[in-house]
Amino acid sequence: TLNGYNSTVFSYGATGAGKTYTMLGNYHQPGLMMMTMQDLFLKVDKERDNKVFEVKCSFLEVYNEMIRDLLNPSSEAGDHLDLREDPVKGMCVAGISEVGGLSTAEEIMNLLLEGNRHRTTEPTAANVVSSRSHAVLQVIVEQKDKTAGASAAIHVGKLAMIDLAGSERASQTNNRGLRMIEGANINRS
């Protein structure tokens, strides 16, 4: 990401397997997202003498094929956002909140924990607090040389860390009604 590459990490598995905990963790036992951010900011700090960095992030969920901003759950867009193709940014979510000026992994962890509270969860036979949505943390790192002038090239790298909702087998999770429809949408997306 710091070299201007885009990368993605997925957490995939059955409902109740521990995907969200593996990705998010908590303050005492950080997950992959936090450990990755700690590593990213260590590397950024080592390069600050030569480069200027801007780190920003967004956090969204995809639930029943609808996109919702977890950092601003009561957004103006009626809670659901659209996926669009921008000629400069490429594929992006229109209206998503991007929090900029981030300088520590702890700042991102606080955003993730707050955003995760807004995530769609429901009890299933496989898990009492089952994430019923896919969650996507996107971290954007922009950098340029300090010695370069105003027309300096800006290198942009994006890291997407995705906590997929559990793969569903209705016969194993005993899902009926709305949970069964959710499971079908989870498997489809």
Side-chain angles (χ1 to χ4, degrees), residues 54-71:
E54 168 72 18
V55 179
K56 50 191 170 183
C57 77
S58 62
F59 193 37
L60 63 85
E61 80 171 348
V62 179
Y63 171 68
N64 279 339
E65 306 297 313
M66 304 300 280
I67 301 169
R68 198 165 67 98
D69 188 340
L70 292 173
L71 298 180

Side-chain angles (χ1 to χ4, degrees), residues 50-161:
N50 303 321
K51 297 181 180 184
V52 176
F53 290 91
E54 168 72 18
V55 179
K56 50 191 170 183
C57 77
S58 62
F59 193 37
L60 63 85
E61 80 171 348
V62 179
Y63 171 68
N64 279 339
E65 306 297 313
M66 304 300 280
I67 301 169
R68 198 165 67 98
D69 188 340
L70 292 173
L71 298 180
N72 186 14
S74 58
S75 64
E76 299 284 323
D79 281 350
H80 297 110
L81 305 173
D82 293 322
L83 188 61
R84 302 255 168 87
E85 187 168 4
D86 181 274
V88 176
K89 295 180 183 179
M91 295 306 291
C92 62
V93 177
I96 191 78
S97 300
E98 281 188 350
V99 177
L102 299 167
S103 58
T104 67
E106 289 74 23
E107 290 174 315
I108 292 180
M109 184 65 172
N110 290 335
L111 291 170
L112 288 173
L113 291 173
E114 179 60 30
N116 205 51
R117 288 187 195 101
H118 302 295
R119 199 161 166 203
T120 304
T121 60
E122 292 290 339
T124 68
N127 191 353
V128 176
V129 184
S130 179
S131 303
R132 307 307 292 162
S133 65
H134 307 304
V136 180
L137 167 67
Q138 181 161 301
V139 178
I140 301 165
V141 180
E142 297 176 355
Q143 64 177 299
K144 66 178 182 177
D145 289 332
K146 273 189 175 178
T147 58
S151 62
I154 297 175
H155 297 281
V156 179
K158 297 178 187 175
L159 170 63
M161 299 192 78

Side-chain angles (χ1 to χ4, degrees), residues 22-23 30-40 105:
T22 298
M23 291 299 276
L32 288 176
M33 290 175 173
M34 178 65 168
M35 291 187 289
T36 302
M37 293 303 100
Q38 288 170 332
D39 189 51
L40 178 116

